[in-house]
Structures are given as C-alpha cells and as structure tokens.
Amino acid sequence: MLKRNSNHLKNIEEGFQFVCKLDELKDKVGRRFIVDEVEIAIFKIESEVFAVSNICPHQQTHLIYDGFIEDEFVTCPAHGWKFNLRTGKKDSGSIGLDSYLVQIYEDRVFIKVYPKKYGW
Ligand code: FES
C-alpha cells in the first residue's frame, strides 16, 4: 500500500502504487508484478512504460510478460496473439488485455490497477 506521508510522493495521483525503479526495467523485456492481487506485465520501450494484464484472454496463460515486443505490440508466447500495449486491444482492434495507467516519478514506476473485469 502506498504511504502518502512522504513529500516525495505528493505528485503521485491517488490510487497509484510503486512497483519498481525505472532502471530495473530493461528495454523491451517484460517483468511480472502483482499489485493488489492483480497480475500485471510491465514493459519499457525506450522512455515509455506500459502496463497490461499478464493473463492472456485466449487460454488464460500467465505469460504476457514473456512476450515478444515489436513496435508497441506484445505477442503472447503461447500461441501468438498480438496486443497493443497502449490500449490492450488485439491487433485486429477487438478486446484484449486490460491496460493500466502508469506514472513515472523520480525514476520510479507507479501503476494504478483495477480489479479484472471478466468478459470471457
Ligand atoms: S494463451 Fe496467449 S495466445 Fe494463446
């Protein structure tokens, strides 16, 4: 749980939680985190950080963090479904992964998660 009694965190919006330092993310290499019981995959692409659900809607594998990155898309390593990291949607534009808001403050990465809305 994010503590709000530090002046260093006053610029972080309500609901965002610290997950890691920016230099702990390698370019185009995903990492898996659990925030408030929500499993997320985080990717850094150049200076941007993206956070999406780590659970693929195809067969519910927990492998999105291990996906291949090309442009702003991640390809699930299980069967190749491809998702836009900015929107979470499949490359066809249909519904895909949940995507989460990211804030970077003083080289630290904060994510705002919400509970999974099961739609499959
Ligand atoms: S489980 Fe991801 S594409 Fe099949």
Side-chain angles (χ1 to χ4, degrees), residues 6-63:
S6 165
N7 286 337
H8 296 296
L9 298 179
K10 67 183 178 188
N11 292 332
I12 300 301
E13 291 175 30
E14 195 68 40
F16 282 80
Q17 298 194 58
F18 172 76
V19 288
C20 66
K21 293 174 73 175
L22 196 54
D23 64 8
E24 294 173 325
L25 299 175
K26 293 183 185 157
D27 201 52
K28 298 183 180 177
V29 177
R31 284 195 62 187
R32 184 181 84 110
F33 293 91
I34 296 177
V35 180
D36 279 351
E37 300 179 15
V38 178
E39 189 174 329
I40 61 175
I42 295 182
F43 299 91
K44 182 170 87 64
I45 301 176
E46 296 175 0
S47 61
E48 258 193 292
V49 175
F50 300 91
V52 293
S53 169
N54 190 45
I55 303 170
C56 183
H58 178 215
Q59 290 187 353
Q60 290 77 52
T61 58
H62 296 229
L63 294 172

